[in-house]
Amino acid sequence: MTLVLGIGLRAGTSYRELRDLVDRALTGVVGVVGTVATVEGREDEPGLQRLVASLGAQLLVASAVDLAGQQVPSPSEQVGELAGTASVAEAAVVLAGAELVVPKVKSAGATVAVGLLGPAAPGYSCADRDVVHRVIAERRDVRRGFLDKPVDDELLTRVLEAAHRAPSVGLSQPWDFLLIKDVATRRKIHDLAAAQRDAFAASLPADRRSAFDGLKIEAILDTPLNIAVTCDPARGGRHVLGRHADPRTVWFSAAIAVQNLWLAARAEGLGVGWVSFFDPAEVGAVLGLPAHVELLGYLCVGHVSEFAAAPELVRSGWAARRPLAWAVHQEQWGYRGLPGSSVSTTAALQDAAASSGRVGGGSQVLRLVVLDGGDVAEHLGAADVLVVQVGAEQPAADFGVLWRPARTADEAVELGVEVARDLVLQGVGELLVSSIGDSLVAERLTEGIRWGGLACGAVVKRVDEPAAVTDSPA
Ligand SMILES: Cc1cc2nc3c(=O)[nH]c(=O)nc-3n(C[C@H](O)[C@H](O)[C@H](O)COP(=O)(O)O)c2cc1C
């Protein structure tokens, strides 16, 4: 059994006093002390340091604020006034994730409480957890505000080490990191991105194109360092564990390495911007990649003046974040809701429609054509048309077609709701929907689009009826 000792002590408390108190507290308790936890400000006390060393334990230091947030059996007002927390010893045990088995015992200068760590491995302390969540929330894709300051080699190595610790299928570690500082090389890469930018702009409907004109999509020449992250899909030969059934897993692994890099860079105050406006083979040719190695991601890296609080695409109104509750399904697809909440079925979504808020903010007008079978190609001419194909046969890959093969009429509604909501997140403010033919599933999906669009504050119009029905949010 692993034990946690929570210790509160006055400055200058001797090792002897602490040791005697600990022995008293541990009388009759079976286990090995793995952690000693105390309050910030006492970690350097010589008596405590010696105790921790003699026990061979790790020292966990918690802030008074974190300790004050713990529920304990014996809080003390006096300690509260002095230390900013009504308990140190017991609160430190609880904060370390242990179950309190010996409430605090006291000597003249110290208090000791004992906790037992359960069979589940403990998590980090509150403060450490906060840092992890903070770095995840505050990581940004950065394209502006880079400083003219080189990236220190040691810092860069730390960040690359974090990337290199990523999980990988069969421990295949399929990534490599190509560091690029040379301006001539970066110019060539920049030209490739510029050409792709033009091609993308040309593919957009007029209103979306003008919004795109204001967006910066890369910082290749603004950063002192670019990193090409590559993937060798066959690394490790024939029997890489876990890859045989799903070869995509090597790509997942390399992408996770990028995320590790991104988070570690954020923690170091280093901005990273991922650029994907490339044909990977063209970048590979500029960089002289061997034919068996492919580009996974191209990163622009450098010190920045600030990290924005929200993604640039959100701040510019180009796209919006998807609520977590839309992304969590319970037991079966379509039963959405956060853990512990009642799940939201299609009926609930319909009920919610009237009361939901606007999630997007975009003004793009999109024409949606809902089809059950038939040829999608004849509808794809204009850039502002999206075809939703509900037929069972998968159409050829084309970003102009969403394949939503609903198996039942109810599922069609649910899929329609999702289609509309996700379009609103991508800047659509008005949906002009036509359902072609008399398919029930297509009709129900169209109804779902109406519900989903209205729920998110979009304007939804049916345009296939002689007298067009217009619905606007109340
Ligand atoms: C695989 C991938 C490719 C991306 N490609 C680009 C890109 O070419 N240009 C760009 O400006 N941002 C790119 N991004 C950044 C996303 O736009 C950004 O992650 C998203 O808007 C959320 O913002 P955040 O990363 O600041 O939270 C890419 C991100 C990923 C994960």
Side-chain angles (χ1 to χ4, degrees):
M1 293 290 201
T2 304
L3 303 175
V4 175
L5 294 181
I7 299 186
L9 67 159
R10 292 210 175 107
T13 306
S14 69
Y15 165 71
R16 196 65 264 156
E17 180 178 341
L18 285 175
R19 185 79 222 199
D20 289 347
L21 187 62
V22 165
D23 289 345
R24 181 147 61 94
L26 288 177
T27 307
V29 179
V30 180
V32 176
V33 177
T35 302
V36 173
T38 193
V39 65
E40 211 166 49
R42 290 287 183 261
E43 64 271 28
D44 295 327
E45 279 293 313
L48 184 72
Q49 292 260 330
R50 193 170 151 200
L51 178 80
V52 171
S54 71
L55 291 167
Q58 62 155 351
L59 182 63
L60 182 87
V61 181
S63 70
V65 175
D66 285 341
L67 292 172
Q70 308 305 314
Q71 296 273 350
V72 294
S74 351
S76 151
E77 273 180 31
Q78 206 188 346
V79 175
E81 279 165 23
L82 288 172
T85 166
S87 166
V88 173
E90 292 180 353
V93 165
V94 176
L95 192 64
E99 184 194 346
L100 190 68
V101 289
V102 180
K104 72 179 172 194
V105 293
K106 292 193 226 175
S107 68
T111 51
V112 171
V114 183
L116 189 62
L117 285 173
Y124 291 124
S125 70
C126 265
D128 289 347
R129 283 201 304 269
D130 282 352
V131 173
V132 171
H133 289 293
R134 208 178 128 203
V135 77
I136 290 170
E138 294 179 5
R139 180 209 51 76
R140 280 281 78 75
D141 183 88
V142 187
R143 296 150 226 174
R144 299 172 198 272
F146 285 98
L147 304 177
D148 188 14
K149 179 182 172 192
V151 178
D152 173 76
D153 287 339
E154 274 182 32
L155 189 166
L156 178 58
T157 307
R158 281 200 297 277
V159 168
L160 292 171
E161 266 166 3
H164 195 55
R165 278 183 197 284
S168 60
V169 63
L171 203 57
S172 55
Q173 302 160 80
W175 51 75
D176 284 273
F177 308 102
L178 182 48
L179 311 180
I180 306 146
K181 294 180 187 167
D182 182 65
V183 176
T185 309
R186 287 192 284 132
R187 278 217 181 89
K188 287 184 197 158
I189 301 285
H190 179 264
D191 290 348
L192 295 177
Q196 288 290 345
R197 181 187 172 113
D198 292 346
F200 181 65
S203 76
L204 294 171
D207 52 350
R208 199 63 168 158
R209 194 178 316 151
S210 57
F212 178 64
D213 284 345
L215 291 176
K216 188 160 163 55
I217 53 96
E218 50 80 24
I220 297 166
L221 295 172
D222 312 337
T223 48
L225 174 70
N226 293 180
I227 304 179
V229 182
T230 61
C231 180
D232 173 357
R235 180 164 292 168
R238 193 166 176 184
H239 301 300
V240 168
L241 186 149
R243 194 193 53 195
H244 66 293
D246 189 350
R248 299 174 309 160
T249 47
V250 282
W251 293 97
F252 305 157
S253 306
I256 298 167
V258 175
Q259 176 72 346
N260 273 14
L261 183 155
W262 217 334
L263 292 171
R266 174 62 187 91
E268 301 274 2
L270 211 55
V272 174
W274 185 324
V275 192
S276 53
F277 278 62
F278 295 124
D279 171 343
E282 288 180 355
V283 177
V286 172
L287 300 179
L289 296 184
H292 68 281
V293 169
E294 296 176 51
L295 179 75
L296 173 99
Y298 194 89
L299 310 175
C300 307
V301 181
H303 292 279
V304 284
S305 52
E306 64 170 349
F307 290 90
E312 178 153 344
L313 295 189
V314 172
R315 286 181 294 128
S316 63
W318 178 267
R321 289 185 57 84
R322 197 164 181 247
L324 176 61
W326 295 8
V328 180
H329 306 242
Q330 299 198 28
E331 308 296 346
Q332 277 181 42
W333 183 271
Y335 289 78
R336 294 171 207 249
L338 293 174
S341 68
S342 57
V343 288
S344 178
T345 60
T346 298
L349 283 171
Q350 292 180 15
D351 291 339
S355 56
S356 303
R358 188 166 170 77
V359 298
S363 56
Q364 190 194 346
V365 180
L366 190 74
R367 288 187 283 156
L368 273 179
V369 179
V370 182
L371 287 182
D372 187 351
D375 187 10
V376 296
E378 65 186 75
H379 303 282
L380 282 176
D384 65 342
V385 170
L386 180 69
V387 176
V388 182
Q389 173 59 273
V390 299
E393 194 179 327
Q394 184 168 14
D398 187 317
F399 286 129
V401 184
L402 279 181
W403 184 43
R404 294 296 182 267
R407 291 160 293 192
T408 63
D410 277 353
E411 187 179 53
V413 177
E414 209 272 329
L415 295 180
V417 167
E418 187 184 44
V419 164
R421 297 197 305 194
D422 290 341
L423 287 172
V424 173
L425 294 181
Q426 283 292 317
V428 174
E430 184 168 340
L431 288 158
L432 307 177
V433 194
S434 51
S435 171
I436 295 183
D438 55 2
S439 148
L440 174 67
V441 172
E443 191 50 41
R444 298 284 285 164
L445 190 131
T446 303
E447 199 180 317
I449 288 172
R450 193 169 89 85
W451 282 113
L454 291 175
C456 297
V459 174
V460 184
K461 294 177 186 167
R462 283 292 294 261
V463 292
D464 53 345
E465 290 169 15
V469 179
T470 304
D471 288 307
S472 323

